[in-house]
PDB file of all heavy atoms in Angstrom:
ATOM      1  N   THR A 100      -1.622  -6.455  11.695  1.00 98.00           N
ATOM      2  CA  THR A 100      -0.162  -6.583  11.644  1.00 98.00           C
ATOM      3  C   THR A 100       0.309  -7.638  10.647  1.00 98.00           C
ATOM      4  O   THR A 100       1.191  -7.375   9.832  1.00 98.00           O
ATOM      5  CB  THR A 100       0.399  -6.887  13.044  1.00 98.00           C
ATOM      6  OG1 THR A 100      -0.234  -8.051  13.571  1.00 98.00           O
ATOM      7  CG2 THR A 100       0.157  -5.716  13.974  1.00 98.00           C
ATOM      8  N   ASP A 101      -0.282  -8.821  10.703  1.00 98.00           N
ATOM      9  CA  ASP A 101       0.171  -9.897   9.824  1.00 98.00           C
ATOM     10  C   ASP A 101      -0.329  -9.753   8.391  1.00 98.00           C
ATOM     11  O   ASP A 101       0.365 -10.147   7.444  1.00 98.00           O
ATOM     12  CB  ASP A 101      -0.294 -11.262  10.352  1.00 98.00           C
ATOM     13  CG  ASP A 101       0.539 -11.748  11.528  1.00 98.00           C
ATOM     14  OD1 ASP A 101       1.567 -11.112  11.829  1.00 98.00           O
ATOM     15  OD2 ASP A 101       0.150 -12.761  12.148  1.00 98.00           O
ATOM     16  N   GLU A 102      -1.517  -9.194   8.212  1.00 98.00           N
ATOM     17  CA  GLU A 102      -2.091  -9.130   6.871  1.00 98.00           C
ATOM     18  C   GLU A 102      -1.920  -7.772   6.206  1.00 98.00           C
ATOM     19  O   GLU A 102      -1.585  -7.708   5.024  1.00 98.00           O
ATOM     20  CB  GLU A 102      -3.572  -9.530   6.931  1.00 98.00           C
ATOM     21  CG  GLU A 102      -3.753 -10.983   7.382  1.00 98.00           C
ATOM     22  CD  GLU A 102      -5.207 -11.421   7.429  1.00 98.00           C
ATOM     23  OE1 GLU A 102      -6.077 -10.709   6.882  1.00 98.00           O
ATOM     24  OE2 GLU A 102      -5.467 -12.495   8.006  1.00 98.00           O
ATOM     25  N   VAL A 103      -2.140  -6.694   6.947  1.00 98.00           N
ATOM     26  CA  VAL A 103      -1.873  -5.354   6.383  1.00 98.00           C
ATOM     27  C   VAL A 103      -0.386  -5.053   6.461  1.00 98.00           C
ATOM     28  O   VAL A 103       0.236  -4.618   5.501  1.00 98.00           O
ATOM     29  CB  VAL A 103      -2.681  -4.270   7.114  1.00 98.00           C
ATOM     30  CG1 VAL A 103      -2.318  -2.874   6.582  1.00 98.00           C
ATOM     31  CG2 VAL A 103      -4.173  -4.522   6.957  1.00 98.00           C
ATOM     32  N   GLY A 104       0.229  -5.300   7.621  1.00 98.00           N
ATOM     33  CA  GLY A 104       1.670  -5.097   7.785  1.00 98.00           C
ATOM     34  C   GLY A 104       2.036  -3.670   8.122  1.00 98.00           C
ATOM     35  O   GLY A 104       1.226  -2.905   8.662  1.00 98.00           O
ATOM     36  N   GLY A 105       3.280  -3.295   7.822  1.00 98.00           N
ATOM     37  CA  GLY A 105       3.755  -1.936   8.075  1.00 98.00           C
ATOM     38  C   GLY A 105       2.939  -0.925   7.297  1.00 98.00           C
ATOM     39  O   GLY A 105       2.608  -1.156   6.124  1.00 98.00           O
ATOM     40  N   ARG A 106       2.620   0.228   7.929  1.00 98.00           N
ATOM     41  CA  ARG A 106       1.638   1.153   7.384  1.00 98.00           C
ATOM     42  C   ARG A 106       2.186   2.576   7.362  1.00 98.00           C
ATOM     43  O   ARG A 106       1.847   3.402   8.210  1.00 98.00           O
ATOM     44  CB  ARG A 106       0.360   1.103   8.237  1.00 98.00           C
ATOM     45  CG  ARG A 106      -0.136  -0.309   8.476  1.00 98.00           C
ATOM     46  CD  ARG A 106      -1.163  -0.418   9.556  1.00 98.00           C
ATOM     47  NE  ARG A 106      -0.681  -0.103  10.896  1.00 98.00           N
ATOM     48  CZ  ARG A 106       0.030  -0.920  11.657  1.00 98.00           C
ATOM     49  NH1 ARG A 106       0.407  -2.113  11.216  1.00 98.00           N
ATOM     50  NH2 ARG A 106       0.415  -0.556  12.866  1.00 98.00           N
ATOM     51  N   VAL A 107       3.032   2.863   6.410  1.00 98.00           N
ATOM     52  CA  VAL A 107       3.576   4.212   6.284  1.00 98.00           C
ATOM     53  C   VAL A 107       2.489   5.121   5.727  1.00 98.00           C
ATOM     54  O   VAL A 107       1.830   4.786   4.733  1.00 98.00           O
ATOM     55  CB  VAL A 107       4.807   4.242   5.365  1.00 98.00           C
ATOM     56  CG1 VAL A 107       5.327   5.671   5.188  1.00 98.00           C
ATOM     57  CG2 VAL A 107       5.908   3.346   5.934  1.00 98.00           C
ATOM     58  N   THR A 108       2.278   6.254   6.363  1.00 98.00           N
ATOM     59  CA  THR A 108       1.256   7.186   5.888  1.00 98.00           C
ATOM     60  C   THR A 108       1.531   7.569   4.438  1.00 98.00           C
ATOM     61  O   THR A 108       2.653   7.902   4.067  1.00 98.00           O
ATOM     62  CB  THR A 108       1.226   8.438   6.776  1.00 98.00           C
ATOM     63  OG1 THR A 108       0.971   8.033   8.126  1.00 98.00           O
ATOM     64  CG2 THR A 108       0.144   9.398   6.334  1.00 98.00           C
ATOM     65  N   GLY A 109       0.488   7.489   3.619  1.00 98.00           N
ATOM     66  CA  GLY A 109       0.623   7.779   2.190  1.00 98.00           C
ATOM     67  C   GLY A 109       0.801   6.542   1.333  1.00 98.00           C
ATOM     68  O   GLY A 109       0.758   6.627   0.111  1.00 98.00           O
ATOM     69  N   SER A 110       0.978   5.381   1.970  1.00 98.00           N
ATOM     70  CA  SER A 110       1.224   4.141   1.232  1.00 98.00           C
ATOM     71  C   SER A 110      -0.079   3.381   0.990  1.00 98.00           C
ATOM     72  O   SER A 110      -1.093   3.616   1.666  1.00 98.00           O
ATOM     73  CB  SER A 110       2.181   3.248   2.020  1.00 98.00           C
ATOM     74  OG  SER A 110       1.537   2.746   3.193  1.00 98.00           O
ATOM     75  N   PRO A 111      -0.069   2.420   0.060  1.00 98.00           N
ATOM     76  CA  PRO A 111      -1.250   1.563  -0.127  1.00 98.00           C
ATOM     77  C   PRO A 111      -1.614   0.796   1.140  1.00 98.00           C
ATOM     78  O   PRO A 111      -2.798   0.550   1.406  1.00 98.00           O
ATOM     79  CB  PRO A 111      -0.818   0.614  -1.252  1.00 98.00           C
ATOM     80  CG  PRO A 111       0.236   1.365  -2.000  1.00 98.00           C
ATOM     81  CD  PRO A 111       0.962   2.168  -0.961  1.00 98.00           C
ATOM     82  N   GLU A 112      -0.611   0.411   1.930  1.00 98.00           N
ATOM     83  CA  GLU A 112      -0.866  -0.309   3.174  1.00 98.00           C
ATOM     84  C   GLU A 112      -1.635   0.563   4.171  1.00 98.00           C
ATOM     85  O   GLU A 112      -2.467   0.057   4.931  1.00 98.00           O
ATOM     86  CB  GLU A 112       0.439  -0.794   3.786  1.00 98.00           C
ATOM     87  CG  GLU A 112       1.129  -1.906   3.018  1.00 98.00           C
ATOM     88  CD  GLU A 112       1.815  -1.420   1.752  1.00 98.00           C
ATOM     89  OE1 GLU A 112       2.091  -0.195   1.639  1.00 98.00           O
ATOM     90  OE2 GLU A 112       2.099  -2.256   0.878  1.00 98.00           O
ATOM     91  N   MET A 113      -1.363   1.856   4.171  1.00 98.00           N
ATOM     92  CA  MET A 113      -2.105   2.755   5.054  1.00 98.00           C
ATOM     93  C   MET A 113      -3.573   2.796   4.659  1.00 98.00           C
ATOM     94  O   MET A 113      -4.463   2.806   5.524  1.00 98.00           O
ATOM     95  CB  MET A 113      -1.496   4.161   4.991  1.00 98.00           C
ATOM     96  CG  MET A 113      -2.072   5.132   6.018  1.00 98.00           C
ATOM     97  SD  MET A 113      -1.596   4.720   7.700  1.00 98.00           S
ATOM     98  CE  MET A 113      -3.200   4.553   8.473  1.00 98.00           C
ATOM     99  N   ALA A 114      -3.846   2.800   3.354  1.00 98.00           N
ATOM    100  CA  ALA A 114      -5.231   2.777   2.890  1.00 98.00           C
ATOM    101  C   ALA A 114      -5.927   1.495   3.344  1.00 98.00           C
ATOM    102  O   ALA A 114      -7.106   1.513   3.750  1.00 98.00           O
ATOM    103  CB  ALA A 114      -5.277   2.898   1.366  1.00 98.00           C
ATOM    104  N   LYS A 115      -5.207   0.369   3.319  1.00 98.00           N
ATOM    105  CA  LYS A 115      -5.784  -0.895   3.791  1.00 98.00           C
ATOM    106  C   LYS A 115      -6.043  -0.849   5.295  1.00 98.00           C
ATOM    107  O   LYS A 115      -7.025  -1.418   5.786  1.00 98.00           O
ATOM    108  CB  LYS A 115      -4.848  -2.047   3.450  1.00 98.00           C
ATOM    109  CG  LYS A 115      -4.725  -2.337   1.962  1.00 98.00           C
ATOM    110  CD  LYS A 115      -3.726  -3.455   1.703  1.00 98.00           C
ATOM    111  CE  LYS A 115      -3.547  -3.694   0.215  1.00 98.00           C
ATOM    112  NZ  LYS A 115      -2.519  -4.743  -0.058  1.00 98.00           N
ATOM    113  N   ALA A 116      -5.165  -0.183   6.032  1.00 98.00           N
ATOM    114  CA  ALA A 116      -5.354  -0.065   7.479  1.00 98.00           C
ATOM    115  C   ALA A 116      -6.605   0.753   7.802  1.00 98.00           C
ATOM    116  O   ALA A 116      -7.334   0.447   8.758  1.00 98.00           O
ATOM    117  CB  ALA A 116      -4.125   0.572   8.119  1.00 98.00           C
TER     118      ALA A 116
END
Side-chain angles (χ1 to χ4, degrees):
T100 55
D101 283 352
E102 296 181 13
V103 176
R106 310 166 294 282
V107 177
T108 302
S110 69
E112 290 75 20
M113 188 69 237
K115 292 177 183 177

